[in-house]
Amino acid sequence: MAISTSTPPDGAPGIGAERQRRRTLLHRLDVRGAPYAFVAPFFIVFAAFSFYPLIYTSWISLHRVELSTLNLMEWVGFDNYTALWDDDRFWNALLNTFTIGVLSTVPQLLMALGLAHLLNYQLRGSTFFRVAALTPYATSVGAAALVFTMLFERDFGMINWMLSLVGVDNLDWENNKWAAQTAISSIVIWRWTGYNALLYLAAMQAIPRDRYEAAAIDGASRWQQFLKVTVPGIRSTIVFTIVLSTIGATQLFGEPLIFGQGPNGITGGADNQYQTLGLLLYEEGWKNYQMGRAATVAWAMFLLLIVVFVVQRIVKRVITRRT
C-alpha cells in the first residue's frame, strides 16, 4: 500500500499552530521592542555627538596635541591638569566667569519673576507682550552682541551719551574690568529675561486659583500672596532656571568674544579683564594651537558643572527637610 507524502493543507492543525506561534512572537516583539526602537535614534545621536566627543576629549586632555598635527599625540598624563591648576589665566577666567554669571543671573531671574507676575494678570494684549518678551531670545547672539557693543562704544555710544546728560564722563567700557563685565552681563540679561519669564508664567498659571482666594480671604495683600503662594508654588521652576542660567554662564562665549571687537575678544581684553572659561578654551585651542590644553579646560568646565549640580541637590534636600 502506497504512503502519501503530500503536504497537509493550509487549514491543517500543525500549520495553524505554527502560524499562531509566529504571530504571537511577532506581537511580543512589537510590544516589547517598539519602545526601544522609538528611543533608539536619540541614543544613537547622543552617542555619536555627545558621548563619543566627551570620551575623546578626555583622552586628548591626557596628551600634548597641536591643532596642525592632530594625529600626533604625546602622552603627558595629568600634566595638562597640573599646568592648568598653576595657570593664573585659568583662575582669572574662572573668577570672571563667576562674576559675570552673578551679574547676569541674579538681575535676570529677578526681572523675569516680576515680569511673569505682571503677565499673569488678565491684561489687554497679553499675547502681544508674551511674544515681545520672547523676541530677544529669538535674536541671534551675534546681532545682539554687535548692537550692544555699539551702544557701549566709548566715544559715540548711546550709553555714554545718556550718562553725559547727568554729568558722568565717558566710560571706557571695554578696558575697564567691571564696566566690561557689566556691559557683557547686560547682553545676557536682555536675551534671556523674557525666556525665563515665560517659564515662570507657565508655572504660575499651573497654581490653583483656590490658593489665592484662600489667601485673600485670610487678608493677605497682593505682595503677601506673591511671597506666600506664588513663589513657593513655582519653587521647582526657579531652581530649574538657576541651574540653566548657571550652565549658560559657565559656557559664556559669544557675547564677550564679539564685545572685544577683534583680537582682544579672544583674550578677553588687553588684561584678560573679561576672559571667560569659554574664551580661554578657544584661545588655547585655536590661537595657541594646543588642543590638549583646550580639552583640559573643557573638562574643567564639565567638572565645574557637576560640582554646581551636586551643590544644588544638597541645598534642595536641606530646604526640603526644613520645610
mmCIF file of all heavy atoms in Angstrom, residues 77-102:
data_model
loop_
_atom_site.group_PDB
_atom_site.id
_atom_site.type_symbol
_atom_site.label_atom_id
_atom_site.label_comp_id
_atom_site.label_asym_id
_atom_site.label_seq_id
_atom_site.Cartn_x
_atom_site.Cartn_y
_atom_site.Cartn_z
ATOM 1 N N GLY A 77 50.009 62.367 30.531
ATOM 2 C CA GLY A 77 49.276 62.053 31.747
ATOM 3 C C GLY A 77 48.456 63.247 32.222
ATOM 4 O O GLY A 77 47.734 63.868 31.456
ATOM 5 N N PHE A 78 48.621 63.565 33.504
ATOM 6 C CA PHE A 78 47.856 64.658 34.099
ATOM 7 C C PHE A 78 48.654 65.963 34.130
ATOM 8 O O PHE A 78 48.310 66.876 34.896
ATOM 9 C CB PHE A 78 47.413 64.289 35.519
ATOM 10 C CG PHE A 78 46.359 63.213 35.552
ATOM 11 C CD1 PHE A 78 46.721 61.885 35.737
ATOM 12 C CD2 PHE A 78 45.024 63.524 35.376
ATOM 13 C CE1 PHE A 78 45.761 60.890 35.758
ATOM 14 C CE2 PHE A 78 44.046 62.535 35.404
ATOM 15 C CZ PHE A 78 44.414 61.216 35.589
ATOM 16 N N ASP A 79 49.689 66.059 33.310
ATOM 17 C CA ASP A 79 50.499 67.281 33.289
ATOM 18 C C ASP A 79 49.673 68.486 32.849
ATOM 19 O O ASP A 79 49.878 69.605 33.344
ATOM 20 C CB ASP A 79 51.700 67.109 32.358
ATOM 21 C CG ASP A 79 52.740 66.157 32.935
ATOM 22 O OD1 ASP A 79 52.583 65.764 34.107
ATOM 23 O OD2 ASP A 79 53.690 65.798 32.216
ATOM 24 N N ASN A 80 48.741 68.291 31.899
ATOM 25 C CA ASN A 80 47.903 69.409 31.461
ATOM 26 C C ASN A 80 47.027 69.924 32.589
ATOM 27 O O ASN A 80 46.781 71.131 32.705
ATOM 28 C CB ASN A 80 47.026 68.970 30.284
ATOM 29 C CG ASN A 80 47.809 68.829 28.996
ATOM 30 O OD1 ASN A 80 48.812 69.509 28.797
ATOM 31 N ND2 ASN A 80 47.365 67.945 28.122
ATOM 32 N N TYR A 81 46.573 69.013 33.445
ATOM 33 C CA TYR A 81 45.716 69.426 34.559
ATOM 34 C C TYR A 81 46.523 70.149 35.627
ATOM 35 O O TYR A 81 46.056 71.146 36.203
ATOM 36 C CB TYR A 81 45.009 68.200 35.149
ATOM 37 C CG TYR A 81 43.951 67.616 34.243
ATOM 38 C CD1 TYR A 81 44.264 66.600 33.348
ATOM 39 C CD2 TYR A 81 42.648 68.084 34.272
ATOM 40 C CE1 TYR A 81 43.294 66.061 32.517
ATOM 41 C CE2 TYR A 81 41.670 67.551 33.439
ATOM 42 C CZ TYR A 81 42.001 66.545 32.567
ATOM 43 O OH TYR A 81 41.052 66.019 31.738
ATOM 44 N N THR A 82 47.710 69.658 35.916
ATOM 45 C CA THR A 82 48.540 70.347 36.908
ATOM 46 C C THR A 82 48.990 71.712 36.393
ATOM 47 O O THR A 82 49.065 72.685 37.159
ATOM 48 C CB THR A 82 49.770 69.487 37.248
ATOM 49 O OG1 THR A 82 50.496 69.181 36.038
ATOM 50 C CG2 THR A 82 49.350 68.190 37.917
ATOM 51 N N ALA A 83 49.277 71.788 35.079
ATOM 52 C CA ALA A 83 49.652 73.081 34.493
ATOM 53 C C ALA A 83 48.485 74.050 34.529
ATOM 54 O O ALA A 83 48.662 75.255 34.775
ATOM 55 C CB ALA A 83 50.144 72.888 33.058
ATOM 56 N N LEU A 84 47.287 73.533 34.304
ATOM 57 C CA LEU A 84 46.098 74.391 34.368
ATOM 58 C C LEU A 84 45.859 74.878 35.789
ATOM 59 O O LEU A 84 45.471 76.028 36.006
ATOM 60 C CB LEU A 84 44.879 73.617 33.855
ATOM 61 C CG LEU A 84 43.578 74.410 33.727
ATOM 62 C CD1 LEU A 84 43.702 75.451 32.620
ATOM 63 C CD2 LEU A 84 42.405 73.473 33.432
ATOM 64 N N TRP A 85 46.129 74.014 36.768
ATOM 65 C CA TRP A 85 45.940 74.388 38.169
ATOM 66 C C TRP A 85 46.891 75.518 38.563
ATOM 67 O O TRP A 85 46.541 76.375 39.374
ATOM 68 C CB TRP A 85 46.157 73.165 39.051
ATOM 69 C CG TRP A 85 45.951 73.428 40.512
ATOM 70 C CD1 TRP A 85 46.894 73.795 41.428
ATOM 71 C CD2 TRP A 85 44.714 73.333 41.226
ATOM 72 N NE1 TRP A 85 46.340 73.942 42.661
ATOM 73 C CE2 TRP A 85 44.995 73.662 42.579
ATOM 74 C CE3 TRP A 85 43.413 73.003 40.868
ATOM 75 C CZ2 TRP A 85 44.011 73.665 43.553
ATOM 76 C CZ3 TRP A 85 42.431 73.012 41.836
ATOM 77 C CH2 TRP A 85 42.728 73.333 43.165
ATOM 78 N N ASP A 86 48.091 75.522 37.981
ATOM 79 C CA ASP A 86 49.088 76.544 38.305
ATOM 80 C C ASP A 86 49.019 77.759 37.378
ATOM 81 O O ASP A 86 49.831 78.678 37.527
ATOM 82 C CB ASP A 86 50.494 75.943 38.220
ATOM 83 C CG ASP A 86 50.706 74.826 39.238
ATOM 84 O OD1 ASP A 86 50.071 74.882 40.313
ATOM 85 O OD2 ASP A 86 51.494 73.897 38.951
ATOM 86 N N ASP A 87 48.086 77.755 36.444
ATOM 87 C CA ASP A 87 47.978 78.833 35.467
ATOM 88 C C ASP A 87 47.093 79.947 36.027
ATOM 89 O O ASP A 87 45.922 79.729 36.344
ATOM 90 C CB ASP A 87 47.384 78.296 34.157
ATOM 91 C CG ASP A 87 47.539 79.292 33.014
ATOM 92 O OD1 ASP A 87 47.897 80.462 33.275
ATOM 93 O OD2 ASP A 87 47.273 78.909 31.860
ATOM 94 N N ASP A 88 47.660 81.158 36.148
ATOM 95 C CA ASP A 88 46.883 82.293 36.660
ATOM 96 C C ASP A 88 45.752 82.676 35.710
ATOM 97 O O ASP A 88 44.724 83.197 36.159
ATOM 98 C CB ASP A 88 47.801 83.498 36.879
ATOM 99 C CG ASP A 88 48.799 83.264 37.998
ATOM 100 O OD1 ASP A 88 48.524 82.423 38.875
ATOM 101 O OD2 ASP A 88 49.868 83.914 37.988
ATOM 102 N N ARG A 89 45.931 82.425 34.425
ATOM 103 C CA ARG A 89 44.881 82.762 33.477
ATOM 104 C C ARG A 89 43.617 81.939 33.724
ATOM 105 O O ARG A 89 42.505 82.426 33.546
ATOM 106 C CB ARG A 89 45.365 82.536 32.046
ATOM 107 C CG ARG A 89 46.500 83.454 31.595
ATOM 108 C CD ARG A 89 46.869 83.133 30.157
ATOM 109 N NE ARG A 89 47.168 81.711 30.025
ATOM 110 C CZ ARG A 89 46.990 81.017 28.909
ATOM 111 N NH1 ARG A 89 46.505 81.602 27.837
ATOM 112 N NH2 ARG A 89 47.302 79.729 28.863
ATOM 113 N N PHE A 90 43.791 80.680 34.135
ATOM 114 C CA PHE A 90 42.637 79.827 34.419
ATOM 115 C C PHE A 90 41.842 80.377 35.592
ATOM 116 O O PHE A 90 40.607 80.465 35.545
ATOM 117 C CB PHE A 90 43.094 78.402 34.700
ATOM 118 C CG PHE A 90 42.010 77.523 35.261
ATOM 119 C CD1 PHE A 90 40.974 77.071 34.455
ATOM 120 C CD2 PHE A 90 42.017 77.158 36.601
ATOM 121 C CE1 PHE A 90 39.959 76.273 34.971
ATOM 122 C CE2 PHE A 90 41.017 76.363 37.130
ATOM 123 C CZ PHE A 90 39.987 75.914 36.312
ATOM 124 N N TRP A 91 42.535 80.742 36.657
ATOM 125 C CA TRP A 91 41.826 81.249 37.839
ATOM 126 C C TRP A 91 41.201 82.604 37.552
ATOM 127 O O TRP A 91 40.116 82.921 38.075
ATOM 128 C CB TRP A 91 42.790 81.327 39.018
ATOM 129 C CG TRP A 91 43.285 79.987 39.434
ATOM 130 C CD1 TRP A 91 44.534 79.470 39.233
ATOM 131 C CD2 TRP A 91 42.534 78.967 40.084
ATOM 132 N NE1 TRP A 91 44.606 78.194 39.723
ATOM 133 C CE2 TRP A 91 43.398 77.856 40.266
ATOM 134 C CE3 TRP A 91 41.228 78.878 40.558
ATOM 135 C CZ2 TRP A 91 42.984 76.682 40.883
ATOM 136 C CZ3 TRP A 91 40.804 77.706 41.172
ATOM 137 C CH2 TRP A 91 41.682 76.632 41.327
ATOM 138 N N ASN A 92 41.868 83.403 36.722
ATOM 139 C CA ASN A 92 41.280 84.681 36.328
ATOM 140 C C ASN A 92 40.016 84.453 35.492
ATOM 141 O O ASN A 92 38.989 85.118 35.701
ATOM 142 C CB ASN A 92 42.296 85.489 35.520
ATOM 143 C CG ASN A 92 41.710 86.774 34.971
ATOM 144 O OD1 ASN A 92 41.419 87.713 35.711
ATOM 145 N ND2 ASN A 92 41.521 86.833 33.660
ATOM 146 N N ALA A 93 40.069 83.497 34.551
ATOM 147 C CA ALA A 93 38.894 83.189 33.730
ATOM 148 C C ALA A 93 37.773 82.604 34.576
ATOM 149 O O ALA A 93 36.585 82.904 34.354
ATOM 150 C CB ALA A 93 39.277 82.227 32.603
ATOM 151 N N LEU A 94 38.131 81.769 35.551
ATOM 152 C CA LEU A 94 37.120 81.193 36.444
ATOM 153 C C LEU A 94 36.450 82.279 37.269
ATOM 154 O O LEU A 94 35.218 82.290 37.429
ATOM 155 C CB LEU A 94 37.778 80.156 37.351
ATOM 156 C CG LEU A 94 36.860 79.456 38.356
ATOM 157 C CD1 LEU A 94 35.771 78.670 37.635
ATOM 158 C CD2 LEU A 94 37.669 78.520 39.260
ATOM 159 N N LEU A 95 37.238 83.228 37.786
ATOM 160 C CA LEU A 95 36.668 84.331 38.567
ATOM 161 C C LEU A 95 35.792 85.222 37.688
ATOM 162 O O LEU A 95 34.700 85.629 38.105
ATOM 163 C CB LEU A 95 37.786 85.149 39.206
ATOM 164 C CG LEU A 95 37.352 86.348 40.052
ATOM 165 C CD1 LEU A 95 36.475 85.901 41.210
ATOM 166 C CD2 LEU A 95 38.569 87.119 40.560
ATOM 167 N N ASN A 96 36.257 85.513 36.477
ATOM 168 C CA ASN A 96 35.453 86.324 35.563
ATOM 169 C C ASN A 96 34.147 85.627 35.199
ATOM 170 O O ASN A 96 33.085 86.268 35.102
ATOM 171 C CB ASN A 96 36.240 86.631 34.293
ATOM 172 C CG ASN A 96 37.392 87.576 34.534
ATOM 173 O OD1 ASN A 96 37.417 88.308 35.525
ATOM 174 N ND2 ASN A 96 38.365 87.564 33.649
ATOM 175 N N THR A 97 34.220 84.334 34.979
ATOM 176 C CA THR A 97 33.001 83.572 34.673
ATOM 177 C C THR A 97 32.023 83.647 35.830
ATOM 178 O O THR A 97 30.804 83.799 35.620
ATOM 179 C CB THR A 97 33.357 82.106 34.374
ATOM 180 O OG1 THR A 97 34.269 82.063 33.267
ATOM 181 C CG2 THR A 97 32.124 81.308 34.031
ATOM 182 N N PHE A 98 32.548 83.566 37.044
ATOM 183 C CA PHE A 98 31.674 83.627 38.226
ATOM 184 C C PHE A 98 31.042 85.004 38.382
ATOM 185 O O PHE A 98 29.826 85.125 38.599
ATOM 186 C CB PHE A 98 32.483 83.268 39.480
ATOM 187 C CG PHE A 98 31.716 83.419 40.763
ATOM 188 C CD1 PHE A 98 30.787 82.472 41.145
ATOM 189 C CD2 PHE A 98 31.920 84.530 41.574
ATOM 190 C CE1 PHE A 98 30.070 82.625 42.320
ATOM 191 C CE2 PHE A 98 31.215 84.693 42.759
ATOM 192 C CZ PHE A 98 30.285 83.724 43.125
ATOM 193 N N THR A 99 31.852 86.055 38.266
ATOM 194 C CA THR A 99 31.315 87.405 38.465
ATOM 195 C C THR A 99 30.328 87.786 37.363
ATOM 196 O O THR A 99 29.266 88.363 37.646
ATOM 197 C CB THR A 99 32.468 88.422 38.513
ATOM 198 O OG1 THR A 99 33.282 88.287 37.340
ATOM 199 C CG2 THR A 99 33.318 88.217 39.750
ATOM 200 N N ILE A 100 30.655 87.468 36.116
ATOM 201 C CA ILE A 100 29.716 87.759 35.032
ATOM 202 C C ILE A 100 28.444 86.938 35.208
ATOM 203 O O ILE A 100 27.333 87.417 34.941
ATOM 204 C CB ILE A 100 30.366 87.481 33.662
ATOM 205 C CG1 ILE A 100 31.519 88.454 33.414
ATOM 206 C CG2 ILE A 100 29.335 87.615 32.540
ATOM 207 C CD1 ILE A 100 32.269 88.204 32.108
ATOM 208 N N GLY A 101 28.601 85.696 35.679
ATOM 209 C CA GLY A 101 27.429 84.867 35.920
ATOM 210 C C GLY A 101 26.525 85.450 36.990
ATOM 211 O O GLY A 101 25.296 85.457 36.848
ATOM 212 N N VAL A 102 27.112 85.968 38.061
ATOM 213 C CA VAL A 102 26.312 86.577 39.125
ATOM 214 C C VAL A 102 25.664 87.872 38.630
ATOM 215 O O VAL A 102 24.473 88.122 38.868
ATOM 216 C CB VAL A 102 27.178 86.841 40.368
ATOM 217 C CG1 VAL A 102 26.404 87.646 41.406
ATOM 218 C CG2 VAL A 102 27.656 85.524 40.966
#
